[in-house]
Amino acid sequence: MPLKKETLKTLQYVAGILFLTVAVGFSGYKLVTSVISDRRAEEEHQRLLNAAVEENAQLPASFTTGVDENGEAVETLPPQYPPLAIDMEMLKGMNGDFRGWLYFPAVEVSYPVVQGEDNNYYLKHSFEGEKSNSGSIFMDCGAAPDWSDRNTFVFGHNMRDGSMFGAFKKLVDDPSLLDANPRFYLYTEDLVYTYEIFSYYMTKSDSNRYMVFTSDENYDKYTGWAVENSNYSFDMDLSERPNIVSLSTCYGSAGTSRRVLIHGVLTLTEPYGIK
């Protein structure tokens, strides 16, 4: 099946307009107002974390996932995801575009993910709908909101202070950060998805790495190239072609076309049992 050229073009455009919010060439006025905006955005994020997320929550001993042929309850093993208690109802009430919570422990990224009607609004608006240079972490507007696409793109600004996807700079400088836990997690109202990183690398905003696909042939070409060109060696079996989430941000000075792409492949789906 041929690639969706119009979708590729749209994703390249989104990657192209994600840029560093504060640059050396800004005027003094813009620099000051930008720093104030960044500070307000980080304060909002901390308020959201404090109100909506409890770390080190008590995980259930097991899950009851159904009944067997004898009508007996079927229990699964204890969950393997990090114990975050997330107030999903509160987050959905605050913003109907909420699609899940992204947690990437190796680089200390913990943010809500939203999905707008287009890929422009959340470039300059916070989770609470305020104008903000930091924007929000958002998934592609054309993606399936239940994370069921074969390759779902999630975008975020590379902030100078290390917030949002600015934390990816640490990973570029020190790949060993993934040695202990090369995974990120997406928490939704009912399920938690575990994605194991199989590749990350530098690319350009107009490259064909910003593609979605439906055919097995294109999946294999895409992941094969990603593995061969990865900045870090991962031992992953992709023969079953599980779904991918790709995290994207800019890298370098303002206006640069360089991008960092981090690909995670779905390795585990579990019921979300912390309420």
Side-chain angles (χ1 to χ4, degrees), residues 169-242:
K169 291 190 289 284
K170 295 186 293 185
L171 184 58
V172 173
D173 294 338
D174 184 8
S176 68
L177 290 173
L178 293 176
D179 289 348
N181 186 8
R183 301 171 189 86
F184 58 86
Y185 307 85
L186 279 163
Y187 297 72
T188 67
E189 187 175 9
D190 299 313
L191 298 170
V192 179
Y193 303 100
T194 298
Y195 295 88
E196 190 140 356
I197 298 169
F198 69 91
S199 174
Y200 76 90
Y201 49 85
M202 303 288 187
T203 187
K204 294 291 187 69
S205 60
D206 58 353
S207 76
N208 66 359
R209 307 313 298 162
Y210 290 94
M211 68 169 67
V212 294
F213 40 77
T214 56
S215 73
D216 289 347
E217 178 184 4
N218 286 331
Y219 182 103
D220 293 341
K221 288 180 179 178
Y222 187 90
T223 56
W225 188 97
V227 169
E228 289 177 7
N229 291 274
S230 178
N231 286 13
Y232 187 83
S233 178
F234 301 94
D235 185 17
M236 286 293 300
D237 180 9
L238 300 173
S239 60
E240 297 298 320
R241 304 186 180 95

Side-chain angles (χ1 to χ4, degrees), residues 7-224:
T7 304
L8 172 58
K9 185 176 180 181
T10 299
L11 290 171
Q12 289 172 335
Y13 167 74
V14 176
I17 58 179
L18 283 167
F19 53 84
L20 284 171
T21 305
V22 180
V24 175
F26 274 21
S27 69
Y29 172 76
K30 289 184 178 180
L31 178 60
V32 171
T33 56
S34 184
V35 169
I36 292 173
S37 176
D38 295 350
R39 185 176 301 165
R40 287 175 177 169
E42 184 57 26
E43 289 173 352
E44 177 188 311
H45 176 235
Q46 286 302 317
R47 288 197 304 270
L48 200 61
L49 273 176
N50 294 338
V53 180
E54 176 190 350
E55 297 183 3
N56 301 315
Q58 183 65 44
L59 290 172
S62 63
F63 290 115
T64 299
T65 57
V67 295
D68 60 20
E69 63 274 11
N70 300 317
E72 299 291 332
V74 176
E75 291 193 343
T76 62
L77 295 173
Q80 299 181 44
Y81 52 79
L84 299 185
I86 301 170
D87 192 336
M88 300 290 181
E89 290 300 321
M90 186 192 81
L91 293 168
K92 288 192 302 179
M94 292 176 63
N95 188 335
D97 292 338
F98 173 66
R99 297 292 181 265
W101 192 277
L102 171 66
Y103 182 49
F104 192 164
V107 289
E108 300 178 347
V109 165
S110 186
Y111 284 91
V113 180
V114 289
Q115 182 181 34
E117 294 181 358
D118 56 45
N119 284 330
N120 292 313
Y121 180 80
Y122 283 113
L123 286 170
K124 290 294 184 180
H125 286 83
S126 70
F127 181 82
E128 297 181 8
E130 300 294 331
K131 287 189 176 181
S132 169
N133 289 331
S134 299
S136 298
I137 304 300
F138 64 96
M139 66 191 298
D140 172 44
C141 66
D146 63 355
W147 304 94
S148 59
D149 286 342
R150 300 192 81 172
N151 190 16
T152 300
F153 285 89
V154 177
F155 300 96
H157 283 301
N158 176 9
M159 299 305 294
R160 186 179 65 173
D161 63 1
S163 61
M164 308 302 283
F165 281 175
F168 291 175
K169 291 190 289 284
K170 295 186 293 185
L171 184 58
V172 173
D173 294 338
D174 184 8
S176 68
L177 290 173
L178 293 176
D179 289 348
N181 186 8
R183 301 171 189 86
F184 58 86
Y185 307 85
L186 279 163
Y187 297 72
T188 67
E189 187 175 9
D190 299 313
L191 298 170
V192 179
Y193 303 100
T194 298
Y195 295 88
E196 190 140 356
I197 298 169
F198 69 91
S199 174
Y200 76 90
Y201 49 85
M202 303 288 187
T203 187
K204 294 291 187 69
S205 60
D206 58 353
S207 76
N208 66 359
R209 307 313 298 162
Y210 290 94
M211 68 169 67
V212 294
F213 40 77
T214 56
S215 73
D216 289 347
E217 178 184 4
N218 286 331
Y219 182 103
D220 293 341
K221 288 180 179 178
Y222 187 90
T223 56

